[in-house]
Amino acid sequence: MIFFAAVLLAGQAFGQSKVQDTFYGIEIRSDYDEFKSNPEFKELLKEKYRNNNWMYRHAYDWADNRRERVRFTTMSFGGRKWDYCEYFFDENKTFYQIRFYNGTIEPEPTRNTYDLLLKDLNRKYSGQPGITVTEDTDWDDDQSLSVTYSGDNGMTCELRYSYEASRSGNMFYYVFLYYYDQGLKEEAQNAWFKEL
């Protein structure tokens, strides 16, 4: 019995030293077909779009007709509601990043989300073996704050609060939560540069 408890505690400690890599049952580094066929995510979407058959049928469509991103609105994650959740894929259709975000005209709502989420992420990752924490606390530099948790499993979690232009050109205060495979993200970004 003592051996089992020790193994269980060691397993929990080991799991805590890694940055999360699975979201709604879909693991980073999965391909697009695995993403579309994942039963856990399909069930979540069926419930989400139970009153909108068109939205359910088009849930996996590429955002902006570009084969790099699939976007969902109003998703729950980490005990919070997010305006958007985006899955990013590289040119080989490998899932390498997920991004959650909210944007508001006034700073308080997104700043409160950032501060509360920062406390939760620090409890989960800060001081854990195998995880490095990097902070950018200079708002005046680029009107953003961020904390990055880099795990020795190749995964990174980044929390960012910023004031920036939306795609429409209007200025918003945003809170972003990213999880990504660092190597795959760099390769994906380099692939886009090669096309220029």
Side-chain angles (χ1 to χ4, degrees):
M1 183 68 161
I2 293 173
F3 174 75
F4 178 73
V7 169
L8 182 62
L9 288 174
Q12 289 173 344
F14 176 76
Q16 199 64 8
S17 66
K18 306 292 184 190
V19 172
Q20 181 173 340
D21 67 354
T22 304
F23 306 89
Y24 309 110
I26 303 163
E27 190 175 345
I28 294 248
R29 304 174 194 96
S30 299
D31 66 28
Y32 181 71
D33 292 333
E34 292 171 309
F35 164 68
K36 282 186 73 171
S37 64
N38 181 279
E40 183 178 334
F41 197 59
K42 278 180 135 176
E43 195 58 38
L44 182 144
L45 292 181
K46 190 185 293 184
E47 178 62 25
K48 178 178 172 56
Y49 298 122
R50 70 180 177 271
N51 297 322
N52 192 328
N53 191 39
W54 188 92
M55 287 295 288
Y56 180 69
R57 283 194 333 254
H58 293 276
Y60 296 100
D61 288 355
W62 297 104
D64 306 321
N65 287 324
R66 296 184 61 192
R67 289 183 174 225
E68 89 183 22
R69 191 169 26 141
V70 177
R71 178 185 301 130
F72 301 95
T73 58
T74 57
M75 296 285 279
S76 294
F77 179 75
R80 292 159 179 86
K81 278 264 194 240
W82 296 92
D83 295 338
Y84 295 96
C85 166
E86 296 179 322
Y87 283 75
F88 289 78
F89 297 84
D90 66 15
E91 60 185 0
N92 298 318
K93 293 192 192 177
T94 302
F95 169 41
Y96 71 87
Q97 173 178 272
I98 191 167
R99 173 173 77 171
F100 300 90
Y101 66 99
N102 292 335
T104 57
I105 294 171
E106 296 298 321
E108 290 82 13
T110 48
R111 181 57 195 256
N112 288 342
T113 300
Y114 176 85
D115 290 339
L116 292 170
L117 196 48
L118 180 59
K119 285 181 187 175
D120 291 347
L121 289 170
N122 277 333
R123 268 197 303 269
K124 183 173 182 178
Y125 293 127
S126 188
Q128 297 299 324
I131 295 180
T132 305
V133 181
T134 308
E135 294 185 63
D136 174 5
T137 58
D138 188 2
W139 175 263
D140 294 330
D141 180 38
D142 58 1
Q143 293 192 304
S144 73
L145 306 170
S146 67
V147 178
T148 304
Y149 306 89
S150 303
D152 60 8
N153 63 338
M155 287 295 300
T156 299
C157 170
E158 179 184 341
L159 176 64
R160 188 161 58 92
Y161 171 69
S162 64
Y163 184 61
E164 58 188 79
S166 67
R167 290 178 0 167
S168 66
N170 297 319
M171 297 299 288
F172 284 91
Y173 291 90
Y174 287 99
V175 59
F176 294 97
L177 177 62
Y178 298 86
Y179 286 88
Y180 53 87
D181 177 297
Q182 181 66 46
L184 287 177
K185 182 176 180 177
E186 286 174 10
E187 285 177 24
Q189 290 173 337
N190 290 336
W192 293 114
F193 291 133
K194 288 176 190 174
E195 291 181 5
L196 298 177

